[in-house]
Amino acid sequence: MVLSCVKMRASLNGAHISGAERIVAVRDVPKTVASLVSRALSHEKGSPDFINVKVEASGDPRRIPALKVATETVSTPEEGWLRVDELLRDAGFSRTAEIRALFRETYSMRGAMLLDADTLERLEPNRERGVRATCMDAADSLAAAAGVKDHYAEAIVLATKVQDAPGIVGEICMSDDPDYVTGYVATKSLGYRRITVLKQKGDPSGGRIFLYRGPREAVAETVRFLEREPVIVTDVPALFRKVAERRMDGILAELDDIRSDGLWRETRILPEGVVNLSSNDYLGLANDERVKSAAANAALAYGAGTGGSRLVTGTQPPHEKLERHLASFKGGEAAIVYSTGYMANVGAITALVGRGDVVLSDALNHASIIDGCRMSGAEVIVYRHLDMADLETKLSRCRGYRRRLVVSDGVFSMDGDMLPLPAFLDICRRHDAFSMVDEAHSLGVVGATGHGLSELFGCGHPDIMMGTLSKALGSQGGYVAGSAAIVEYLRQRSRPFIFNTAPCAAAMAGADAALSILESEPSLVERLRENVRFFVDELAHHGLSVSTDSAIVPIIVGDEERAVACSSKLAKAGFAISAIRYPTVAKGSARLRVAVSSAHSREALASAASAIASVFR
Ligand code: WAQ
Ligand code: MG
């Protein structure tokens, strides 16, 4: 087969923008030229004012397998260059610090510095330009999206050819693309070692050194080989991972953005001895001996998992017992339990409304309510936070719908403020809308004996009384209580109930025991209320004025990174207080969120208040 080397160079105002090398069959020259030219024209660095395409007859190419690739993950350029140093030493080079210093001199060169690895003499015939490796390609490069620049695949091809050149014993490279901070060290023995970070983002420096060992009179042949000898590199891993790698680019870039916006989150295990002021276990029942042994005994009696969905084989006696108990506690005719509170909200809303219906939702409702609204397919109208006048105005415009549903948190999880339930119910009634209230943060907290908002206000119940087992009840799961018909409807229609393995008996029995304790010891609720009052007063003593209707005490910081910094200072002082940021709350309204528990001692609350005040200064 007759082959051609095709080289493309594109520049703008004399500055290099992009270049590429192909070795293709003569009949593929036209389409190769077309794709390289279109690649040059659409380069992200800008559109070139000069494109040079050179097509030369090629001799028979050498075919050599790609160097083996390994990635060295580092997080800073300093670490990256330390790895370069170690790798060069491993490969038998000794003057690594001097090589590193010389590398900077390549930044202005178009080609590579050719350096004697031992004497550090510079051997390239033209110092300004350097030596350029050309006449190379990956096998099957045409098939693998030839028009797209891929640093990785092209660098492996170049590095493989370079290590095949007579006298060459190593290479160091750093990309000159300001957005691409990766480079590599290559030798025959090390293979191609990618080093993920060699410079800061935005830095346009880049360069290459080819390390040479051999007699001076052989240098000319090395240069000829690098610049003229056609080489086809087979088995380039990047070419076949290309699509997947590029797919990951967007993901990795977004992760970087999350980090740089101060919005990075991680899961962590609370160290021992830390005062936990972030827990929703408001009554300390998650660790109550009676609750724990009820859960443990249920696991022993019924198994660790249920093995089936509720409507198939997953229902066990503890599920039904808890549902009856919740119904009577909430003053409903029936109740239905879900595996999580999130699923209870999504399950209830998506079952109750759909296309042709409308749902009105408070602007600060919990994400699980928002998701339920979105997933339902109903029209969603958001009203201003706790603004009953706005709700009424908007609801009064919702005539021609099949169903109207109004949904609100009872206590708002990030602000600790509360729905004025009587007004809410009155508006819903007058406009013939279903009312739904999420009592996740009010059950066990609000009302003289912890029954929630209806108890506090001495008013009626919403149609859909949603709540959770995961907070004051110290267990895990969610529920909806209401009329027998509503609950039956959810059992028939709500997909997170139907298509989900039944929650484990331990969670059911634990919640059931906690509910019994709440009924028999309403003093727990009073103790919680006193703790909240005490804590708010302590903060006031230290000059921080905050307010809450619940056990959630928000302390607004504003800036995301400052909130995180406060939270980590508090962690160092032994207090786990979470920083709440976007997207949980609006951007610029980051806060420390303290959740008070009846289990907190006065001493712990007093020292927490003083620690919070001191990080605020
Ligand atoms: N021959 C010799 N030197 C060259 C050549 C060449 N054909 N092309 C570029 N250089 C020199 C020049 O000084 C550049 O500034 C420097 O090398 C870097 O070139 O994820 O993109 O084309 O594993 O920016 C490596 C990491 C990417 C890839 C390399 O090099 C990975 C890269 P760039
Ligand atoms: Mg480049």
Side-chain angles (χ1 to χ4, degrees):
M1 190 163 56
V2 189
L3 296 175
S4 297
C5 285
V6 182
K7 300 177 194 175
M8 181 277 289
R9 303 272 169 263
S11 59
L12 177 60
N13 301 323
H16 175 77
I17 308 188
S18 97
E21 304 275 334
R22 294 283 180 266
I23 298 176
V24 297
V26 169
R27 67 178 135 75
D28 287 330
V29 167
K31 74 173 177 197
T32 304
V33 169
S35 93
L36 291 179
V37 169
S38 79
R39 157 174 162 172
L41 288 172
S42 62
H43 200 279
E44 59 205 8
K45 277 190 204 161
S47 105
D49 57 11
F50 183 73
I51 300 174
N52 183 354
V53 178
K54 203 190 233 176
V55 181
E56 291 173 295
S58 161
D60 236 5
R62 298 163 63 82
R63 290 178 73 86
I64 51 175
L67 292 171
K68 292 281 164 285
V69 179
T71 300
E72 313 272 338
T73 305
V74 294
S75 43
T76 62
E78 293 67 39
E79 246 184 275
W81 281 102
L82 230 70
R83 282 305 290 144
V84 171
D85 201 76
E86 286 167 13
L87 288 167
L88 290 176
R89 284 178 186 284
D90 287 352
F93 301 104
S94 48
R95 301 175 66 176
T96 53
E98 290 159 272
I99 294 173
R100 162 82 179 108
L102 283 165
F103 190 81
R104 295 196 181 87
E105 291 181 29
T106 69
Y107 291 173
S108 58
M109 295 163 67
R110 291 255 291 105
M113 179 185 286
L114 185 62
L115 194 65
D116 186 298
D118 305 304
T119 66
L120 304 190
E121 253 174 288
R122 293 181 59 169
L123 305 173
E124 66 274 17
N126 178 340
R127 282 204 173 191
E128 227 170 285
R129 171 178 173 275
V131 178
R132 290 193 57 86
T134 63
C135 293
M136 66 222 165
D137 198 357
D140 305 319
S141 68
L142 269 188
V148 187
K149 170 80 174 169
D150 189 316
H151 290 291
Y152 180 47
E154 296 189 0
I156 292 170
V157 169
L158 184 147
T160 302
K161 176 176 179 184
V162 169
Q163 290 313 304
D164 197 49
I168 296 291
V169 289
E171 182 191 352
I172 309 163
C173 169
M174 179 170 88
S175 163
D176 60 12
D177 184 333
D179 291 325
Y180 199 72
V181 297
T182 306
Y184 63 86
V185 171
T187 75
K188 274 207 197 69
S189 61
L190 295 171
Y192 179 102
R193 299 291 190 98
R194 315 178 69 187
I195 297 164
T196 51
V197 183
L198 282 180
K199 62 179 183 181
Q200 303 288 357
K201 236 182 175 170
D203 182 349
S205 322
R208 271 195 163 90
I209 291 180
F210 299 155
L211 294 166
Y212 174 87
R213 242 180 214 146
R216 291 295 165 274
E217 53 279 17
V219 169
E221 169 53 16
T222 300
V223 173
R224 186 209 63 82
F225 183 98
L226 290 168
E227 298 198 331
R228 313 283 325 153
E229 184 77 27
V231 169
I232 286 190
V233 178
T234 63
D235 310 309
V236 177
L239 272 184
F240 301 99
R241 286 212 309 262
K242 239 173 159 173
V243 173
E245 293 251 321
R246 206 165 291 125
R247 188 165 61 222
M248 285 305 292
D249 284 352
I251 305 264
L252 297 175
E254 250 181 77
L255 286 173
D256 282 346
D257 290 347
I258 295 173
R259 269 198 203 90
S260 59
D261 291 347
L263 297 175
W264 191 253
R265 294 156 177 245
E266 28 196 65
T267 59
R268 59 165 169 271
I269 296 171
L270 273 193
E272 221 140 315
V274 161
V275 182
N276 185 355
L277 290 138
S278 295
S279 172
N280 298 318
D281 178 22
Y282 296 117
L283 302 176
L285 293 177
N287 277 294
D288 184 283
E289 291 306 325
R290 296 161 290 178
V291 174
K292 287 198 287 191
S293 52
N297 290 335
L300 292 173
Y302 299 103
T306 55
S309 64
R310 285 293 304 279
L311 297 178
V312 184
T313 55
T315 299
Q316 296 169 327
H319 297 82
E320 298 199 329
K321 179 157 181 269
L322 176 63
E323 287 176 336
R324 284 192 300 272
H325 200 170
L326 284 165
S328 82
F329 185 85
K330 287 304 300 176
E333 292 171 357
I336 177 173
V337 165
Y338 294 79
S339 289
T340 68
Y342 180 96
M343 291 162 86
N345 271 331
V346 169
I349 297 169
T350 55
L352 286 163
V353 291
R355 214 168 293 156
D357 301 328
V358 63
V359 53
L360 290 94
S361 174
D362 186 287
L364 294 190
N365 274 344
H366 186 258
S368 55
I369 296 178
I370 296 171
D371 291 359
C373 292
R374 286 183 186 158
M375 288 161 76
S376 72
E379 180 146 341
V380 182
I381 296 177
V382 175
Y383 61 89
R384 285 197 294 272
H385 177 52
L386 289 181
D387 186 336
M388 294 298 106
D390 189 43
L391 166 60
E392 174 135 37
T393 308
K394 287 180 171 153
L395 188 53
S396 65
R397 294 193 198 119
C398 295
R399 297 256 183 260
Y401 295 94
R402 183 185 65 147
R403 277 181 202 155
R404 284 162 290 281
L405 170 68
V406 186
V407 54
S408 176
D409 271 326
V411 161
F412 287 80
S413 58
M414 297 302 140
D415 296 81
D417 49 357
M418 197 182 343
L419 174 72
L421 184 63
F424 179 84
L425 293 179
D426 180 53
I427 292 168
C428 293
R429 211 172 294 119
R430 282 190 286 106
H431 294 276
D432 190 28
F434 287 101
S435 54
M436 171 167 171
V437 176
D438 174 342
E439 295 232 51
H441 296 278
S442 46
L443 179 89
V445 175
V446 166
T449 61
H451 280 63
L453 270 65
S454 297
E455 181 184 22
L456 177 78
F457 291 108
C459 65
H461 298 300
D463 300 311
I464 294 103
M465 298 183 266
M466 182 274 168
T468 175
L469 313 178
S470 322
K471 297 180 168 58
L473 296 182
S475 177
Q476 194 179 28
Y479 70 85
V480 171
S483 69
I486 287 280
V487 169
E488 194 51 55
Y489 187 77
L490 296 182
R491 232 188 317 269
Q492 302 302 323
R493 285 272 188 262
S494 83
R495 298 171 67 87
F497 176 81
I498 301 168
F499 299 103
N500 179 56
T501 294
C504 64
M508 303 297 98
D512 193 46
L515 201 54
S516 297
I517 294 171
L518 177 56
E519 286 173 317
S520 60
E521 296 173 29
S523 60
L524 275 177
V525 183
E526 189 45 41
R527 164 130 192 114
L528 172 60
R529 226 184 320 273
E530 281 164 9
N531 272 357
V532 172
R533 211 173 298 134
F534 175 80
F535 180 68
V536 168
D537 288 348
E538 284 295 300
L539 284 176
H541 281 313
H542 292 288
L544 282 175
S545 116
V546 298
S547 75
T548 181
D549 297 324
S550 61
I552 298 160
V553 183
I555 302 155
I556 307 292
V557 179
D559 180 70
E560 280 73 26
E561 293 189 38
R562 181 161 177 242
V564 175
C566 286
S567 169
S568 54
K569 275 188 216 156
L570 288 164
K572 287 203 187 86
F575 302 98
I577 299 176
S578 35
I580 307 290
R581 291 164 287 172
Y582 178 84
T584 310
V585 295
K587 274 201 177 131
S589 77
R591 64 200 60 185
L592 297 175
R593 174 188 184 273
V594 174
V596 177
S597 160
S598 62
H600 287 137
S601 70
R602 289 293 159 87
E603 299 74 61
L605 291 172
S607 55
S610 118
I612 290 168
S614 75
V615 303
F616 253 70
R617 265 176 223 123

